[in-house]
Amino acid sequence: MTDASSLISHLVELRNRILRALLSVLVVFLCLVYFAEDLYHYLAKPLLEVLPENSSMIATDVASPFFAPFKLTLVLSFFLAIPYVLYQVWAFVAPGLYKNEKKLVVPLLVSSTLLFYAGMAFAYFVVFPLAFAFFTSVAPSGVTVSTDISSYLDFVLKLFFAFGVSFEIPIAIILLCWTGVTDAQTLRTKRPFVIVGAFVVGMLLTPPDVISQTLLALPMWVLFEIGVVAGSMYANKKEPEDDDPSATDSTQ
């Protein structure tokens, strides 16, 4: 097979993998779109429960009542389809990996997905109730708290993403240790800087209140410690590289 035909076959496979990933998102979206309003109500529940009496969420744009639930459903569809999307990524890159790399990638894909979901769940069930209760309690006298539904959606999606990505810290540390960029002992010596950095990141990624900043910084610190332990284990188990990965595939 010539280089040109090999490149074309890889591009065709890449296109097919992308189309399958997009199709999975579309299928999940079609299953959820009927429940779009219920999903938005469930997302808004942490705020609705702490709003003052006779107060509610509002829509300042004419199309917001339609587009806000629609946007939430689309984003949620992508989040739910992530396992299949990552599988398509894995299926595309797997033929070019060494045997010991394949053993590492599959657990990392699974654990990274679960950690991202865990970060979102932590934000919804722990951070949102505390942060929204704080925001509504500090409103100046005479100010009625009535949050726009689109602004609220953008706000919580940013927090979901911030907490989801922050919970990936162990995965990042394992990769750094496994590739030899750093090691567990070096990371342990950097612990004071990591703790300070966690609170700085918490300050930048969360609303300007001590509660949500601390609730992001503390899990990041704990996840760093978990990542250091796991990284040392993976570094110790690293095996010598196999022969050319294409040779490995030809034996299968």
Side-chain angles (χ1 to χ4, degrees), residues 7 25 44 58 67 73 81 83 86 88 99 114-115 130 136 138 141 147 156 174 192 201 203 225 227 236 245 251-252:
L7 176 61
V25 176
I58 61 173
F67 281 113
T73 306
L86 291 178
Q88 294 301 321
K99 186 177 180 181
L114 295 177
L115 284 172
L130 294 175
T136 55
V138 297
S141 177
T147 304
V156 298
I174 289 173
V201 172
M203 176 184 67
E225 301 294 344
N236 292 334
T251 61
Q252 294 177 352

Side-chain angles (χ1 to χ4, degrees), residues 39-59 123-139 144-157 159-160 207:
L39 292 172
Y40 190 92
H41 177 77
Y42 187 76
L43 181 70
K45 202 173 179 182
L47 177 62
L48 295 174
E49 290 178 345
V50 296
L51 283 176
E53 242 181 276
N54 301 322
S55 181
S56 63
M57 300 182 73
I58 61 173
Y124 182 84
F125 292 105
V126 178
V127 178
F128 287 1
L130 294 175
F132 295 152
F134 171 80
F135 290 149
T136 55
S137 66
V138 297
T144 302
V145 179
S146 298
T147 304
D148 176 65
I149 59 174
S150 295
S151 299
Y152 175 80
L153 177 61
D154 293 338
F155 178 80
V156 298
L157 289 180
L159 283 184
F160 277 147

Side-chain angles (χ1 to χ4, degrees), residues 2-83:
T2 64
D3 292 340
S5 59
S6 177
L7 176 61
I8 292 175
S9 65
H10 279 85
L11 290 176
V12 171
E13 183 184 0
L14 177 62
R15 182 202 63 184
N16 293 337
R17 297 292 180 187
I18 293 175
L19 289 176
R20 290 172 187 170
L22 293 176
L23 182 61
S24 67
V25 176
L26 178 61
V27 170
V28 177
F29 174 78
L30 293 176
C31 295
L32 294 179
V33 68
Y34 178 79
F35 307 99
E37 292 185 10
D38 296 328
L39 292 172
Y40 190 92
H41 177 77
Y42 187 76
L43 181 70
K45 202 173 179 182
L47 177 62
L48 295 174
E49 290 178 345
V50 296
L51 283 176
E53 242 181 276
N54 301 322
S55 181
S56 63
M57 300 182 73
I58 61 173
T60 58
D61 187 80
V62 175
S64 291
F66 170 77
F67 281 113
F70 182 89
K71 179 180 177 181
L72 170 62
T73 306
L74 185 60
V75 174
L76 182 61
S77 299
F78 174 73
F79 285 159
L80 293 178
I82 279 180

Side-chain angles (χ1 to χ4, degrees), residues 166-212:
S166 298
F167 271 57
E168 302 291 335
I169 290 176
I171 306 300
I173 293 177
I174 289 173
L175 289 175
L176 290 174
C177 292
W178 186 80
T179 55
V181 174
T182 186
D183 56 71
Q185 185 57 40
T186 302
L187 291 172
R188 290 189 182 98
T189 62
K190 306 294 184 183
R191 184 178 286 113
F193 301 101
V194 171
I195 295 174
V196 174
F199 279 91
V200 172
V201 172
M203 176 184 67
L204 295 175
L205 295 182
T206 60
D209 68 281
V210 177
I211 296 176
S212 54

